[in-house]
Amino acid sequence: MQQNDDHLYTFGLLDEDAKREIRRSLLKAVAIPGHQVPFASRDLPIARGWGTGGLQITLAIITPEDTLKVIDQGDDAGVNAVNLRRLITQTTGVATTVATSEASLIQTRHRIPEEPLRADQILVLQVPMVDPLRWVEPNLERATVMHGEADYGRMWVYMYESVVRAGDLRIASQYPVMVNGRYMMDTTPIPRWDVPRLDMAEALFLFGAGREKRIYAVPPHTSVVPLQFEDYPFRTEYQAGQRCVRCGAENTFLTSHFVAGPADGGQWVTSCSDTNFCDQRLGAGEVQP
Amino acid sequence: MGFRPKPSFFFRFGGEAAKTEEKEFFGGGFASPEPPPREYTTIALLTNTMSTIAAPPTAQAYFSSRAFRVLLDCLARPGSIGTLPLPPQDDGLPPLAATLRPNPYAVAAFLSLLDQTTSMAHAAEGLWLTAEHPLTRWIMLRSNAQIGPPAFADYVLLHDPASAGCLSELKQGSLTFPEQSCTAFLCVAQLDACGATWRLEGPGIANSGSVGLPGLTPNVLKGIMATRAHFPLGVDIFCIDATGACLGLPRTTRIEAVYSR
Ligand SMILES: [Zn+2]
């Protein structure tokens, strides 16, 4: 990648003070798995709520040696992914990839890649809503005290009531988990499909919420257990007989698309949400780097 | 106080491209939380024709980012030994005492987390060093960190295992704010990834791990244990040896001495 003589920005866009502050918060987050560590979220040239928390983590930890992958809903070509990738590569010059196995640093919204991650990979998740207790305690300061005291009784009651009322866990894509048996953590916005893959994983997971100014982490080999009840066990979105129309995979997280047809006007089809996984299965995985 | 984008950021690519860029960043492309429908066509999306508009990192910034990744990895995987990079310059690190030299890897890693918003303290041979000590001045000059009472310090550097007793004096945070705890850097003679002085268990460790610290006296483990009786309160510790080998011991790590010899 060519270097411009007229450098407008420091490497990684953020100044060293901002990076240092995020790094210090990240170390605390790793040391206290699932605990939300406050940080001074900076303004970035994208609107908060569109990944600034994850972006700030990525910019604070990225080194020139990294190979970056950015996905949005599992898709490297999503608008959010394209914009964030462009911002990061323009301000760092790091190599990028769509291949999960080639990436050392993966920034994502919604998905954990289907391909199992390795110990030398870090996944940075963009988080829109941090606190699972917002359902029972909208005041963030009081919720922080509740986390401190592991005061989760009201949340369990709320969960059970919503189960009984709705017949299933209503908070479908905002599934709370217990991390290391101590902190309740929101898994927003990843689908239930990905929740079990946080448990005892090889890779390090870092979560950043720009708007709510919180950073938290799940280290590798750390227990992550969904809240569930004997009569209503945790379930993923998996449905018997599900299948990707592109690659035929029967055990992936799927998204629906409407495909226009010439005669009947088209139809809804489902395919892998992880486009790189799907492409690789198709054998057409050699997307232009 | 926060980062402010320079307006010119969006107008470096000229004409229509610049307008599109601005629109996408400020909401045009982000207006809907749902991604646009995806076409079943081969995508050629990583063709990056635009040049990098940021300077390469300075030597100091590059060092800090590399050191941080080692610290992060070590803390995420207690028992796995990381290797800290060499500090970019060693411009006359003052000695601790006539014959005692500080560990340059530990000093540099310690320094990489400090700035004017943090407070620090350091100790050698079991005694806290004063604000007037040449090494204190050296660290303060380069970091702008404040030296404070050890009980309030955010970051502490213990220059030798004999100072491990100082760990019990450090702040451990509160139930509501467990992150408002001290992080300690403890210099040791040698870390041996294949050794078995301690057995380690906890988050970041598959089953159990072990680490060797040849010649370590039992007071060190006693000092560490004093910081972790009340999880989530506690002190996170990095042990760093003379070659820059680094062991992370977050407050979640359970440590047991192995008495096999
Ligand atoms: Zn597929």
Side-chain angles (χ1 to χ4, degrees):
Chain A
M1 181 168 296
Q2 81 186 92
Q3 287 279 329
N4 196 315
D5 290 323
D6 178 21
H7 296 123
L8 282 174
Y9 296 93
T10 54
F11 178 86
L13 199 59
L14 299 170
D15 61 59
E16 282 299 296
D17 282 348
K19 287 182 185 171
R20 209 178 288 111
E21 203 249 346
I22 295 166
R23 289 170 185 165
R24 289 193 297 252
S25 298
L26 283 168
L27 293 177
K28 300 291 185 189
V30 166
I32 317 165
H35 169 63
Q36 301 161 32
V37 180
F39 80 111
S41 186
R42 303 304 205 272
D43 291 323
L44 286 171
I46 55 169
R48 276 187 188 162
W50 289 103
T52 58
L55 179 61
Q56 288 177 79
I57 292 179
T58 296
L59 293 173
I61 71 176
I62 200 163
T63 69
E65 292 82 11
D66 274 310
T67 301
L68 176 77
K69 173 181 167 79
V70 185
I71 48 174
D72 177 10
Q73 309 259 15
D75 188 349
D76 297 88
V79 177
N80 187 272
V82 169
N83 281 321
L84 291 178
R85 181 186 302 108
R86 183 159 49 209
L87 181 64
I88 298 166
T89 53
Q90 282 179 3
T91 56
T92 62
V94 300
T96 56
T97 182
V98 295
T100 299
S101 60
E102 289 172 7
S104 60
L105 195 55
I106 303 172
Q107 179 164 336
T108 173
R109 191 165 75 111
H110 292 110
R111 286 304 316 278
I112 298 173
E114 298 285 351
E115 200 174 326
L117 298 176
R118 300 183 309 263
D120 60 340
Q121 296 178 302
I122 296 177
L123 194 78
V124 177
L125 290 108
Q126 305 162 205
V127 179
M129 308 283 252
V130 285
D131 204 319
L133 298 182
R134 68 183 175 279
W135 300 100
V136 296
E137 180 50 78
N139 180 304
L140 198 59
E141 280 161 34
R142 282 202 291 269
T144 305
V145 173
M146 287 169 70
H147 281 293
E149 294 167 353
D151 176 11
Y152 297 133
R154 272 160 70 196
M155 189 61 192
W156 279 97
V157 171
Y158 173 84
M159 287 283 288
Y160 195 75
E161 281 177 351
S162 74
V163 163
V164 171
R165 216 181 308 121
D168 198 349
L169 295 174
R170 218 178 62 193
I171 31 190
S173 66
Q174 277 134 15
Y175 214 98
V177 293
M178 291 302 291
V179 180
N180 189 31
R182 175 56 178 81
Y183 281 98
M184 189 179 288
M185 187 185 92
D186 208 312
T187 58
T188 316
I190 67 170
R192 279 173 292 163
W193 180 268
D194 288 337
V195 170
R197 302 162 72 222
L198 291 166
D199 180 51
M200 295 293 172
E202 289 292 331
L204 169 63
F205 301 100
L206 304 174
F207 300 75
R211 199 174 32 201
E212 300 188 7
K213 307 184 179 186
R214 293 286 189 278
I215 281 173
Y216 50 102
V218 174
H221 304 289
T222 299
S223 80
V224 175
V225 181
L227 264 62
Q228 57 185 330
F229 304 94
E230 259 180 43
D231 36 350
Y232 293 95
F234 170 82
R235 286 199 314 248
T236 69
E237 294 86 348
Y238 177 78
Q239 291 180 339
Q242 69 166 50
R243 192 169 183 280
C244 167
V245 294
R246 290 185 75 219
C247 74
E250 293 174 343
N251 203 20
T252 58
F253 183 71
L254 302 174
T255 52
S256 320
H257 313 261
F258 190 78
V259 177
D264 56 0
Q267 57 173 335
W268 286 93
V269 297
T270 54
S271 68
C272 298
S273 123
D274 183 339
T275 53
N276 173 251
F277 186 80
C278 198
D279 288 342
Q280 286 193 344
R281 279 178 55 87
L282 272 176
E286 302 305 314
V287 183
Q288 276 294 310
Chain B
M1 63 174 213
F3 171 83
R4 295 261 170 255
K6 298 173 185 129
S8 58
F9 184 87
F10 302 102
F11 299 100
R12 285 190 54 73
F13 314 108
E16 287 306 302
K19 292 201 185 80
T20 314
E21 200 74 11
E22 184 186 30
K23 192 161 167 264
E24 284 182 354
F25 275 119
F26 281 109
F30 288 108
S32 155
E34 296 304 319
R38 188 160 184 279
E39 297 294 322
Y40 292 111
T41 51
T42 310
I43 47 172
L45 64 105
L46 295 183
T47 325
N48 197 332
T49 51
M50 289 171 215
S51 58
T52 305
I53 54 172
T58 63
Q60 188 60 51
Y62 179 62
F63 168 81
S64 296
S65 68
R66 294 272 317 282
F68 173 73
R69 288 289 282 270
V70 175
L71 296 177
L72 181 70
D73 198 51
C74 288
L75 208 61
R77 299 165 205 284
S80 83
I81 306 290
T83 307
L84 286 164
L86 261 179
Q89 76 266 351
D90 178 8
D91 49 347
L93 202 57
L96 289 164
T99 57
L100 196 56
R101 306 207 67 82
N103 177 330
Y105 294 96
V107 173
F110 180 64
L111 203 60
S112 74
L113 295 176
L114 300 181
D115 57 29
Q116 67 282 357
T117 66
T118 55
S119 61
M120 57 79 76
H122 63 146
E125 298 174 306
L127 296 172
W128 294 106
L129 300 177
T130 64
E132 288 74 38
H133 190 283
L135 184 56
T136 312
R137 290 169 173 277
W138 192 91
I139 293 171
M140 286 170 71
L141 186 69
R142 279 153 188 79
S143 64
N144 291 319
Q146 298 303 305
I147 184 160
F152 297 99
D154 301 312
Y155 292 87
V156 152
L157 175 56
L158 305 172
H159 292 288
D160 46 29
S163 304
C166 297
L167 286 167
S168 63
E169 300 173 38
L170 307 177
K171 64 174 179 179
Q172 300 189 12
S174 64
L175 272 183
T176 312
F177 303 108
E179 72 277 6
Q180 291 177 5
S181 55
C182 182
T183 300
F185 290 71
L186 174 65
C187 300
V188 297
Q190 195 193 337
L191 284 168
D192 178 6
C194 305
T197 310
W198 294 339
R199 182 161 44 242
L200 310 174
E201 277 181 22
I205 306 164
N207 305 313
S208 76
S210 69
V211 62
L213 292 104
L216 205 72
T217 52
N219 75 306
V220 174
L221 184 53
K222 220 171 112 187
I224 294 173
M225 296 314 273
T227 69
R228 39 196 69 198
H230 305 286
F231 186 83
L233 282 63
V235 174
D236 308 311
I237 300 165
F238 293 101
C239 297
I240 298 168
D241 83 3
T243 66
C246 178
L247 167 73
L249 297 172
R251 64 194 76 182
T252 48
T253 307
R254 297 180 291 280
I255 311 170
E256 197 187 328
V258 180
Y259 300 102
S260 57
R261 281 162 294 169

